[in-house]
Amino acid sequence: MAEAAQEEQKMDVDTDTFDPDYDIFAFRDDPKSPDMNVDHSTQMLWELQEHLGKISPVGGAIASVKSDKEFQHTPAPPSVQQSEPQPPRKLSRHMQYATHFPIPQDDSCYHECNQRMIVLYGVGKARDEARHVCKKVSKEIMKLFSKKNSIDISSGDIGKTKKKKEKGEKDVGDPNYEGTFTRFQKLSYYDQHAVTSSCATQVLEQFSSFSSGNSTYLPLVENISFLFDLMEHCHNINSLIEFCIQPLKEFNNQEVQNMLKSGSPVLGSYITSMCLCIVAVLRKYHACLLVMPDLTSLAFEGLCGVVKHVNNPSDCSSAERCILAYLYDLYTSCSYLKAKYSEFFSGACSKVKQTLYAAIVPSASNFRWDPQFMTDVIENAKSRPDIQAIKQLNESSQNRYSFVCNAQINICNAQGAERLNEVSILCAELTACCNSLSSEWLGILRALCCSSNHCCGYIDVLALLDVSDLSLHDLLAVFTSVLIARHCFSMEDFVKHVALPSLLAACPSAGGDQDAEPGARLTCHLLLRLFKSDSDNNTPFPSSKSSSYIKASCDRHLLSAAHNGITVGPMLAVLKAMLVLGN
């Protein structure tokens, strides 16, 4: 009886140790067993592969060391073919875990990474092919951060000094971000994490080399922003936040600060543009950052160092305006930041609140319009406007009226997304230098959305633009989205001063009239595009087939984060107004 009980207990242990139907990793090494050696472990892995079947991480294609012909479907007898088709075999969840679950890419996990490859692909050709696919995508992305695709901070040139083109050598065009992203998203999550980790390491090495004075080259901001998008796509959020904060530490290095003091315009512009992309990511994942006090403090200190030269929040660049606004939100939402930096930041906090978070009243201007005022600035939207043009805007409300009218007409005649985004960002840049433009933008949007109300001003624009023209709606939506993303006015200001009056003007139950319907249609489209930004952020190329979309990833992130700033009251009111209008 005792021997039978021991035998039964032994069988129970074997069943618990390895059950391939429930856990492919349930077997355990028994140090007392002489048979549990490396060869025996390898044999178990081979048997496990045969049991589960070989399915590759992408597309369900067969990926095994054996020939593909061994796995091809053999024809069934006629009697079987006439019966109902069998449902496809469900992929084991354990194979899903082994394929996609990310493993750290450091030396401490080298053994685990190697074992994963053996479990999935064995030790033959299939494993080499899987590695080749991952390395090919990684190499393609790595090229974006080579010296040929970097900016020389000392001169402002892109890439190395090009030699005379050899015979047969082809020109290298702009990076194909969309094609690279398509190939990247076909990888398993494990491979996506591995690729972005290696690219982030290379970028940080470039920053470290620059801050130590060993190099004058830095990666292009557009390429780093693309890497942010890739890390976000594979849901590597923790590493993304850590990666964003590392450059801030390098920017506050003494060597970099000395270069800024010497008056390097290229470096100053590069740092603010880079920090705008960083702030956009941190804003979108603000809640994730707050649960990590150490990283929050590092981000706060780094961003403060970037904008410490800004004395007046109403006279800065658009990127600096976004950084100051985020510093204010960080400071007011973190008790540990208030306790640690109250003496350092309390004065700046009050200035930012008075400038960027003050109540805005829409303008209803009707001055004499100058159709030629600052048209040269609008045509050269990529160039930073000179001090004289900014001074003219600050000194005269008539000049502001003429500029707003000319900019709005140019927006509605913009050809292509590139031009549309350039003019929109120019308007945001000028608003950062002239805070009074915020009420002008709200005023002209209200005039367009409430076109039946002739008391809203801007009659010169209304005489030239037909609000019922549906081709203008997307153009105005992108323009409005960029202004909200760049903190020219808030989402709540737009809902309260533009959307609600427009919708109520078209409601018969609220005393509205038929002439207000085109403006209400425009308002509904603007609201749709503003609040649809979250679904558009699933890919770095949300509307590439359209001619009207937000091009910069940082602007899409900032717009998505702007949703958190609106309170329930105005949102509920505009939803009720839409329901009444629909009925």
Side-chain angles (χ1 to χ4, degrees):
M1 292 294 291
E3 293 178 359
Q6 290 179 359
E7 186 67 25
E8 183 179 356
Q9 183 180 5
K10 183 178 179 180
M11 293 176 63
D12 292 341
V13 171
D14 291 342
T15 302
D16 292 338
T17 302
F18 176 58
D19 186 351
D21 289 332
Y22 292 93
D23 196 347
I24 66 174
F25 298 115
F27 57 88
R28 298 189 292 269
D29 294 346
D30 184 4
K32 297 180 181 180
S33 174
D35 295 332
M36 185 55 74
N37 50 31
V38 176
D39 295 334
H40 185 59
S41 299
T42 305
Q43 182 64 26
M44 293 179 67
L45 290 173
W46 277 88
E47 292 175 357
L48 178 61
Q49 284 181 319
E50 293 181 0
H51 177 77
L52 292 176
K54 295 311 300 161
I55 299 180
S56 72
V58 181
I62 296 171
S64 173
V65 295
K66 297 186 178 182
S67 171
D68 290 352
K69 295 181 180 180
E70 299 181 25
F71 295 92
Q72 290 178 355
H73 179 68
T74 56
S79 60
V80 178
Q81 291 180 351
Q82 293 175 0
S83 62
E84 295 182 1
Q86 296 294 327
R89 180 183 176 184
K90 186 177 181 181
L91 183 63
S92 168
R93 69 180 186 278
H94 306 297
M95 188 59 73
Q96 293 275 20
Y97 295 155
T99 300
H100 294 287
F101 198 85
I103 302 175
Q105 298 298 306
D106 50 25
D107 294 337
S108 63
C109 296
Y110 176 79
H111 175 71
E112 286 75 8
C113 295
N114 188 47
Q115 290 300 304
R116 171 191 175 274
M117 296 296 290
I118 293 175
V119 168
L120 291 175
Y121 307 105
V123 291
K125 183 180 178 181
R127 182 175 64 165
D128 296 336
E129 290 177 351
R131 286 176 172 172
H132 175 71
V133 171
C134 184
K135 287 182 179 180
K136 186 177 180 181
V137 176
S138 180
K139 184 178 180 180
E140 182 179 357
I141 300 174
M142 286 284 196
K143 288 181 181 179
L144 298 175
F145 308 107
S146 63
K147 190 169 286 189
K148 290 182 179 180
N149 290 305
S150 300
I151 181 171
D152 187 353
I153 297 299
S154 60
S155 62
D157 296 331
I158 305 296
K160 295 180 179 178
T161 303
K162 295 184 178 179
K163 298 179 181 179
K164 291 183 178 181
K165 189 171 68 172
E166 298 179 0
K167 187 177 180 179
E169 184 181 350
K170 295 182 180 180
D171 292 330
V172 179
D174 295 332
N176 183 11
Y177 292 126
E178 192 165 359
T180 302
F181 177 77
T182 301
R183 288 182 285 276
F184 174 81
Q185 67 180 159
K186 291 181 179 179
L187 300 175
S188 66
Y189 280 108
Y190 170 88
D191 290 332
Q192 290 179 8
H193 278 241
V195 169
T196 53
S197 176
S198 58
C199 293
T201 300
Q202 179 176 336
V203 171
L204 293 178
E205 287 176 355
Q206 287 183 270
F207 278 117
S208 178
S209 178
F210 175 81
S211 64
S212 60
N214 297 326
S215 172
T216 59
Y217 288 90
L218 285 174
L220 293 175
V221 175
E222 296 83 0
N223 294 341
I224 299 179
S225 178
F226 178 64
L227 181 56
F228 287 168
D229 291 334
L230 295 182
M231 297 181 76
E232 184 182 11
H233 172 76
C234 63
H235 306 292
N236 195 4
I237 305 304
N238 190 63
S239 297
L240 173 60
I241 293 175
E242 292 178 353
F243 176 49
C244 286
I245 293 174
Q246 287 299 320
L248 297 177
K249 297 165 65 176
E250 303 295 342
F251 291 154
N252 288 283
N253 185 285
Q254 188 61 43
E255 186 78 19
V256 177
Q257 293 299 314
N258 291 337
M259 292 180 65
L260 287 172
K261 290 179 181 178
S262 63
S264 174
V266 178
L267 180 59
S269 175
Y270 179 90
I271 290 178
T272 52
S273 299
M274 184 70 235
C275 288
L276 177 64
C277 296
I278 292 173
V279 165
V281 172
L282 296 182
R283 261 203 179 280
K284 183 173 182 180
Y285 299 102
H286 183 66
C288 300
L289 179 64
L290 293 183
V291 299
M292 298 180 282
D294 293 339
L295 291 180
T296 304
S297 298
L298 289 174
F300 187 82
E301 291 176 1
L303 292 174
C304 283
V306 171
V307 294
K308 64 183 180 182
H309 63 281
V310 178
N311 296 320
N312 184 6
S314 62
D315 185 13
C316 58
S317 68
S318 176
E320 290 166 345
R321 186 184 182 98
C322 294
I323 295 171
L324 289 171
Y326 184 60
L327 284 173
Y328 173 84
D329 288 342
L330 265 183
Y331 182 79
T332 54
S333 58
C334 300
S335 58
Y336 50 87
L337 290 182
K338 288 182 179 180
K340 189 175 181 180
Y341 302 102
S342 59
E343 296 182 3
F344 168 70
F345 193 72
S346 58
C349 181
S350 59
K351 287 184 179 180
V352 172
K353 183 178 180 180
Q354 293 172 3
T355 304
L356 305 185
Y357 291 89
I360 301 178
V361 179
S363 174
S365 304
N366 263 325
F367 293 99
R368 184 176 181 180
W369 175 39
D370 182 2
Q372 302 301 320
F373 183 72
M374 289 184 68
T375 53
D376 55 335
V377 176
I378 298 174
E379 289 300 322
N380 301 305
K382 284 187 175 181
S383 303
R384 183 173 175 82
D386 55 15
I387 300 177
Q388 186 61 33
I390 297 171
K391 185 178 180 180
Q392 290 178 339
L393 290 175
N394 279 304
E395 290 180 347
S396 171
S397 55
Q398 181 177 349
N399 289 340
R400 290 195 294 272
Y401 174 83
S402 296
F403 168 72
V404 167
C405 292
N406 292 334
Q408 196 68 78
I409 294 171
N410 197 286
I411 284 288
C412 294
N413 293 322
Q415 299 294 325
E418 185 83 21
R419 175 64 181 170
L420 174 61
N421 281 266
E422 286 176 1
V423 178
S424 300
I425 292 174
L426 170 68
C427 295
E429 290 288 347
L430 290 170
T431 306
C433 303
C434 177
N435 206 45
S436 301
L437 282 175
S438 295
S439 61
E440 298 287 343
W441 299 127
L442 268 183
I444 198 168
L445 287 173
R446 186 180 66 172
L448 290 170
C449 292
C450 302
S451 54
S452 62
N453 185 352
H454 303 293
C455 299
C456 294
Y458 300 95
I459 56 174
D460 297 298
V461 174
L462 294 176
L464 293 176
L465 300 180
D466 183 9
V467 177
S468 61
D469 184 0
L470 300 182
S471 64
L472 303 182
H473 290 190
D474 278 334
L475 300 172
L476 291 171
V478 173
F479 172 71
T480 306
S481 299
V482 172
L483 292 185
I484 292 177
R486 297 293 184 107
H487 291 274
C488 296
F489 51 84
S490 68
M491 187 88 74
E492 186 167 338
D493 289 330
F494 175 81
V495 169
K496 180 180 178 181
H497 296 295
V498 178
L500 272 176
S502 174
L503 296 177
L504 292 176
C507 292
S509 59
D513 55 8
Q514 192 73 19
D515 295 337
E517 183 178 337
R521 288 182 178 272
L522 171 61
T523 301
C524 290
H525 188 79
L526 295 181
L527 290 171
L528 174 65
R529 290 292 299 268
L530 287 174
F531 288 100
K532 196 183 175 185
S533 62
D534 276 336
S535 59
D536 286 344
N537 276 333
N538 294 330
T539 168
F541 313 98
S543 308
S544 56
K545 295 182 180 180
S546 171
S547 61
S548 305
Y549 62 94
I550 304 175
K551 183 182 178 183
S553 176
C554 61
D555 288 329
R556 294 196 300 270
H557 282 25
L558 289 170
L559 178 62
S560 178
H563 296 163
N564 299 327
I566 188 169
T567 57
V568 178
M571 197 64 240
L572 196 59
V574 77
L575 289 175
K576 288 182 178 180
M578 292 178 71
L579 285 174
V580 173
L581 183 62
N583 292 331

